[in-house]
């Protein structure tokens, strides 16, 4: 568990220094009451998080997959724990258990342009941040669409849907209400989170009793999300990994997350810096427009500065969007 003596009063927490003091000796990651598998959330160091696989007997559609999964530094000069997974073969979850549970859970979906799954500040830091505030937090390592999986562009969504069903299947044992589960995604992970939130059709055949759990989330949080495909403003690198270099207009339109929004979509929170030079803010504006047209509750925080991938911290303190999101999430039942 994480230490319970840190509360959110709007002033933020310094989560880059003294991290060992923010983590209790009983911190539990990677397991659940249902499975009995536990591990310790490491301090900010090179030690890997402990993931548990989400598929019994391996993921579907693997016959033509021959890549080798690796965890690599996200940059040559970054912190030792700022890593990414490439060629994911074993999709898996990390589970952070809060010291003072609030009865809700959050599924985090990192970004990486559908070329890798980055678990640095949009992974480890987010786990700490939300667990400190009472959420059962799950971090997803998902398969990538360019590695030969049979489901192609639906491969990451298969993993996201399976992960959500696991969170819901474990909810009662964790003291989580099944209708108080949210999803948050970052960059390309924001695209995947939006597709998870807005698609009710299962993308894989049931494998066990867990797959009887319904899909759907209470709320969605999308940070600097990829949304557009096949139009101006598209993040070309994500589109190419997901759909290939020249998808047809019809195929591209099918994977636009803003086009998936309907009146049944969950309340959605957006944040995106106006100066984002990697994934342009037009992606979030398209989502916001679609949410408004569908009359879905939405809130957007669009700071002038911040660039891409600003994460949970700003100058060593909780970034402004965090207080806005937490207030908004409570208002919508999370």
């Amino acid at each position: 568990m994480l230490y319970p003596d840190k509360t959110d009063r709007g002033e933020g927490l310094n989560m880059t220094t003294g991290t060992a003091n923010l983590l209790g000796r009983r911190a539990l990651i990677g397991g659940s009451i249902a499975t009995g598998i536990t591990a310790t959330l490491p301090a900010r160091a090179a030690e890997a998080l402990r993931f548990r696989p989400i598929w019994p007997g391996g993921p579907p559609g693997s016959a033509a997959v021959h890549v080798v999964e690796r965890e690599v530094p996200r940059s040559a000069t970054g912190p030792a724990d700022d890593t990414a997974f490439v060629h994911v073969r074993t999709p898996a979850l990390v589970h952070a258990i809060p010291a003072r549970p609030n009865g809700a859970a959050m599924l985090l979906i990192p970004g990486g342009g559908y070329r890798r799954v980055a678990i640095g500040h949009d992974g480890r830091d987010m786990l700490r941040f939300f667990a400190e505030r009472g959420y059962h937090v799950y971090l997803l390592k998902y398969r990538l669409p360019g590695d030969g999986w049979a489901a192609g562009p639906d491969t990451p969504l298969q993993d996201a849907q399976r992960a959500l069903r696991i969170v819901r299947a474990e909810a009662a044992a964790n003291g989580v209400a099944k209708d108080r589960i949210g999803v948050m995604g970052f960059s390309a992970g924001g695209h995947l989170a939006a597709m998870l939130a807005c698609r009710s059709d299962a993308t894989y055949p049931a494998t066990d009793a867990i797959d009887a759990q319904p899909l759907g989330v209470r709320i969605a949080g999308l940070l600097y999300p990829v949304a557009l495909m096949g139009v101006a403003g598209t993040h070309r690198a994500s589109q190419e990994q997901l759909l290939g270099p020249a998808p047809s207009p019809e195929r591209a339109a099918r994977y636009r997350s803003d086009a998936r929004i309907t009146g049944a979509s969950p309340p959605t929170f957006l944040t995106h810096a106006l100066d984002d030079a990697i994934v342009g803010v037009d992606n979030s504006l398209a989502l916001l427009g679609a949410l408004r047209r569908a009359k879905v509750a939405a809130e957007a925080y669009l700071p002038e500065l911040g660039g891409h991938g600003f994460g949970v911290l700003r100058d060593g303190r909780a970034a402004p969007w965090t207080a806005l999101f937490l207030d908004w999430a409570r208002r919508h039942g999370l």
Side-chain angles (χ1 to χ4, degrees):
M1 294 183 180
L2 303 179
Y3 274 137
D5 58 346
K6 301 288 185 181
T7 57
D8 181 33
R9 302 183 181 89
E11 72 265 23
L13 296 175
N14 184 330
M15 302 182 72
T16 58
T17 60
T19 305
N21 292 328
L22 294 178
L23 299 174
R25 283 188 288 268
R26 293 173 294 171
L28 299 180
I29 295 292
S32 69
I33 296 172
T35 63
I37 303 171
T38 63
T40 301
L41 176 66
R44 293 185 65 90
E47 182 181 353
L49 295 175
R50 295 285 298 278
F51 287 87
R52 59 179 164 120
I54 62 174
W55 296 100
S62 62
V65 179
H66 304 292
V67 295
V68 177
E69 179 174 322
R70 293 184 298 130
E71 184 176 7
V72 299
R74 203 165 66 89
S75 72
T77 58
D81 66 352
D82 187 12
T83 62
F85 286 92
V86 296
H87 304 310
V88 173
R89 292 294 301 268
T90 306
L93 284 170
V94 175
H95 177 196
I97 301 177
R100 293 180 177 177
N102 64 10
M106 184 76 73
L107 174 62
L108 304 179
I109 304 183
Y114 284 124
R115 183 174 58 87
R116 59 185 181 176
V117 179
I119 60 166
H121 64 285
D122 282 346
R124 292 175 170 89
D125 287 350
M126 291 290 178
L127 280 169
R128 290 175 170 86
F129 181 83
F130 283 107
E132 287 277 340
R133 284 150 181 82
Y135 293 91
H136 278 264
V137 198
Y138 294 77
L139 175 68
L140 175 63
K141 179 184 67 167
Y142 54 91
R143 291 171 293 154
L144 300 165
D147 285 338
W149 301 94
D154 282 341
T155 299
L157 186 56
Q158 288 184 335
D159 293 342
Q161 289 181 336
R162 173 71 182 181
L164 175 60
R165 284 168 159 166
I166 289 172
V167 176
R168 185 162 278 122
E170 296 179 354
N174 289 329
V176 169
K178 288 191 175 184
D179 63 348
R180 295 189 65 205
I181 298 170
V183 64
M184 178 172 282
F186 314 91
S187 192
H191 177 269
L192 180 51
M195 296 295 275
L196 174 66
C198 296
R199 280 186 64 171
S200 59
D201 56 313
T203 54
Y204 64 93
T207 59
D208 57 21
I210 288 173
D211 289 326
Q213 295 290 333
L215 299 170
V217 294
R218 185 64 172 264
I219 59 116
L222 309 178
L223 276 68
Y224 28 91
V226 170
L228 301 172
M229 296 281 162
V231 296
T234 295
H235 183 240
R236 298 292 176 181
S238 292
Q239 176 182 278
E240 183 166 342
Q241 290 295 319
L242 191 68
L243 303 176
S248 69
E250 295 77 16
R251 183 172 169 84
R254 184 168 183 262
Y255 287 91
R256 284 184 59 163
S257 58
D258 63 309
R260 289 285 180 169
I261 291 169
T262 70
S265 298
T268 300
F269 180 93
L270 299 157
T271 186
H272 209 135
L274 295 175
D275 68 342
D276 191 329
I278 296 176
V279 177
V281 71
D282 285 349
N283 288 264
S284 281
L285 294 176
L287 287 162
L288 181 60
L291 290 160
R292 294 187 66 207
R293 289 190 295 275
K295 302 187 184 311
V296 174
E299 183 162 311
Y301 171 58
L302 307 175
E304 176 187 6
L305 303 175
H308 187 69
F310 44 77
V312 75
L313 296 176
R314 180 174 179 179
D315 300 325
R317 300 172 68 84
W321 71 265
T322 58
L324 297 172
F325 172 79
L326 290 168
D327 287 344
W328 176 87
R330 293 183 189 112
R331 191 162 68 246
H332 289 284
L334 207 75

Coordinates of all heavy atoms in Angstrom, one line a residue, residues 66-70 86-89:
H66 N 6.6 -13.4 -34.6 CA 8.0 -14.0 -34.3 C 8.9 -12.9 -33.7 O 10.1 -13.2 -33.6 CB 8.6 -14.5 -35.6 CG 7.8 -15.5 -36.3 ND1 7.5 -16.7 -35.9 CD2 7.1 -15.4 -37.5 CE1 6.7 -17.4 -36.7 NE2 6.4 -16.6 -37.7
V67 N 8.3 -11.8 -33.3 CA 9.2 -10.7 -32.7 C 9.6 -11.1 -31.3 O 9.0 -12.0 -30.7 CB 8.4 -9.4 -32.7 CG1 8.2 -8.9 -34.1 CG2 7.1 -9.5 -31.9
V68 N 10.6 -10.4 -30.7 CA 11.1 -10.7 -29.4 C 10.8 -9.4 -28.6 O 11.3 -8.3 -28.9 CB 12.6 -11.0 -29.4 CG1 13.1 -11.2 -28.0 CG2 12.9 -12.3 -30.3
E69 N 10.1 -9.6 -27.5 CA 9.8 -8.5 -26.6 C 11.0 -8.0 -25.9 O 11.8 -8.8 -25.4 CB 8.7 -8.9 -25.6 CG 8.3 -7.8 -24.6 CD 7.1 -8.2 -23.7 OE1 6.2 -8.9 -24.2 OE2 7.1 -7.8 -22.5
R70 N 11.2 -6.7 -25.8 CA 12.3 -6.1 -25.0 C 11.8 -4.8 -24.3 O 10.9 -4.1 -24.7 CB 13.4 -5.7 -26.0 CG 14.1 -6.8 -26.6 CD 15.3 -6.3 -27.5 NE 14.9 -5.5 -28.5 CZ 15.4 -4.3 -28.8 NH1 16.4 -3.8 -28.0 NH2 14.9 -3.5 -29.8
V86 N 9.0 -2.7 -26.5 CA 8.8 -2.9 -27.9 C 8.5 -4.3 -28.2 O 8.9 -5.2 -27.5 CB 10.1 -2.4 -28.7 CG1 10.3 -0.9 -28.5 CG2 11.3 -3.2 -28.2
H87 N 7.8 -4.6 -29.3 CA 7.4 -5.9 -29.7 C 6.8 -6.7 -28.6 O 7.3 -7.8 -28.2 CB 8.6 -6.6 -30.3 CG 9.3 -5.9 -31.4 ND1 8.7 -5.4 -32.5 CD2 10.6 -5.6 -31.5 CE1 9.5 -4.8 -33.3 NE2 10.7 -4.9 -32.7
V88 N 5.8 -6.2 -28.0 CA 5.2 -6.8 -26.8 C 4.6 -8.2 -27.2 O 3.8 -8.3 -28.1 CB 4.1 -5.9 -26.2 CG1 3.3 -6.7 -25.1 CG2 4.7 -4.6 -25.7
R89 N 5.0 -9.2 -26.5 CA 4.5 -10.6 -26.7 C 3.5 -11.0 -25.6 O 2.7 -11.9 -25.8 CB 5.7 -11.6 -26.8 CG 6.6 -11.5 -28.0 CD 5.8 -11.8 -29.3 NE 5.3 -13.2 -29.3 CZ 5.9 -14.2 -29.8 NH1 7.2 -14.1 -30.3 NH2 5.4 -15.4 -29.8

